[in-house]
């Protein structure tokens, strides 16, 4: 299924954006790294960045069909050299760095490519947490639910990777920031802060995102799908607001 256009996303969902002020404090370009639960993700992030970032091209590490795969093929964005050149000319990248996409919207293992690119180029890496996009448009639907569901786009603090940094360490920072946003969606503002302090927020986020590590039975997987697509009436506070 082709992803909705950036213009269509504005009519299909009700986005709540947090942390965008981080981007106004820096000149750019940026390497945005996001989780990838839905076909809404790329046009949604592009839409909320309109007027803030000059140009954004999305690239997915996972092989797939649709908008991102077509963009990768047509623009020739398969090599680090091309990506580096684009950043050098002021363009920003939106990278979906998960090695594969889970069919229940869960967070999967991240490719080290985004971390390596940030180290090599010195471009700021911005973690992006997407919450509610899987609920709004799971893979078996052609259009989101008609009520313009609320979705959240949470920009974390930019990460400056120093030359010579270990890619796995930078990648851990990216995943931690995205996981914190997912933990907040499950446990709320105070719960996310407490879980982070106790070192348990990954487990809290896993109950929201649905940890995809290890073998699980079909029953457990469908329970996660059911929970992830249930209507969300939460109005909790956020840890990301200054």
């Amino acid at each position: 299924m082709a992803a909705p256009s950036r213009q269509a996303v504005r009519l299909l969902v009700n986005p709540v954006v947090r942390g965008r002020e981080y981007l106004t404090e820096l000149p750019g370009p940026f390497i945005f790294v996001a989780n990838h639960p839905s076909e809404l993700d790329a046009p949604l992030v592009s839409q909320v960045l309109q007027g803030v970032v000059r140009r954004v091209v999305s690239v997915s590490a996972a092989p797939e069909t649709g908008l991102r795969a077509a963009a990768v093929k047509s623009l020739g964005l398969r090599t680090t050299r091309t990506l580096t050149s684009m950043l050098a000319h002021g363009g920003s990248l939106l990278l979906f760095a998960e090695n594969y996409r889970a069919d229940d919207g869960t967070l999967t293992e991240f490719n080290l490519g985004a971390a390596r690119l940030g180290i090599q180029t010195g471009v700021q890496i911005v973690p992006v947490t997407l919450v509610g996009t899987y609920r709004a448009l799971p893979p078996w639907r052609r259009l989101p639910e008609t009520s313009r569901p609320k979705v959240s786009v949470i920009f974390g603090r930019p990460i400056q990777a120093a030359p010579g940094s270990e890619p796995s360490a930078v990648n851990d920072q990216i995943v931690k920031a995205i996981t914190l946003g997912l933990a907040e969606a499950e446990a709320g503002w105070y719960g996310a802060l407490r879980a982070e302090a106790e070192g348990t927020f990954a487990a809290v986020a896993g109950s929201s995102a649905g940890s995809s590590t290890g073998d699980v039975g079909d029953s457990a997987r469908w329970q996660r799908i059911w929970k992830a697509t249930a209507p969300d009436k939460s109005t909790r506070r956020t840890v990301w607001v200054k």
Side-chain angles (χ1 to χ4, degrees):
M1 180 189 66
S5 69
R6 186 176 65 184
Q7 293 74 19
V9 165
R10 189 180 309 174
L11 304 175
L12 295 173
V13 295
N14 177 26
V16 176
V17 184
R18 301 178 183 122
R20 192 163 43 189
E21 64 273 11
Y22 297 138
L23 308 180
T24 63
E25 300 168 357
L26 298 167
F30 303 99
I31 300 172
F32 298 98
V33 185
N35 58 317
H36 192 13
S38 170
E39 288 298 320
L40 282 173
D41 301 335
L44 174 63
V45 175
S46 295
Q47 194 271 320
V48 302
L49 288 174
Q50 192 172 13
V52 179
V53 177
R54 181 168 63 89
R55 179 188 176 202
V56 182
V57 169
S58 59
V59 181
S60 174
E64 60 180 332
T65 58
L67 179 64
R68 281 169 301 288
V72 170
K73 183 177 180 180
S74 64
L75 296 176
L77 298 178
R78 291 191 181 276
T79 66
T80 302
R81 180 180 299 176
T82 306
L83 297 173
T84 301
S85 175
M86 183 175 177
L87 291 168
H89 286 83
S92 293
L93 297 174
L94 170 60
L95 302 183
F96 297 106
E98 291 169 277
N99 282 323
Y100 66 95
R101 293 181 61 185
D103 61 0
D104 57 3
T106 60
L107 193 66
T108 67
E109 182 183 17
F110 272 44
N111 188 290
L112 295 180
R116 290 192 177 108
L117 189 63
I119 295 168
Q120 178 179 328
T121 62
V123 173
Q124 300 264 2
I125 300 171
V126 182
V128 186
T129 304
L130 299 169
V131 180
T133 57
Y134 181 82
R135 176 181 291 111
L137 185 60
W140 59 85
R141 287 188 194 153
R142 290 186 174 274
L143 292 172
E145 55 185 271
T146 57
S147 60
R148 289 193 73 226
K150 184 179 76 173
V151 297
S152 295
V153 182
I154 306 170
F155 296 98
R157 292 183 182 276
I159 298 168
Q160 181 67 70
S165 296
E166 177 60 42
S168 61
V170 176
N171 189 60
D172 287 346
Q173 289 181 265
I174 298 169
V175 174
K176 181 178 179 180
I178 293 173
T179 305
L180 181 59
L182 296 172
E184 179 195 317
E186 176 68 19
W189 171 74
Y190 176 74
L193 285 179
R194 180 173 178 178
E196 182 183 20
E198 295 174 350
T200 60
F201 77 97
V204 174
S207 64
S208 175
S211 175
S212 62
T213 58
D215 294 328
V216 294
D218 288 341
S219 177
R221 184 172 67 86
W222 282 109
Q223 286 176 359
R224 291 204 309 264
I225 292 174
W226 178 84
K227 181 178 181 181
T229 54
D232 181 15
K233 299 181 181 179
S234 172
T235 56
R236 292 175 175 137
R237 291 173 60 198
T238 174
V239 70
W240 294 90
V241 176
K242 286 188 175 180

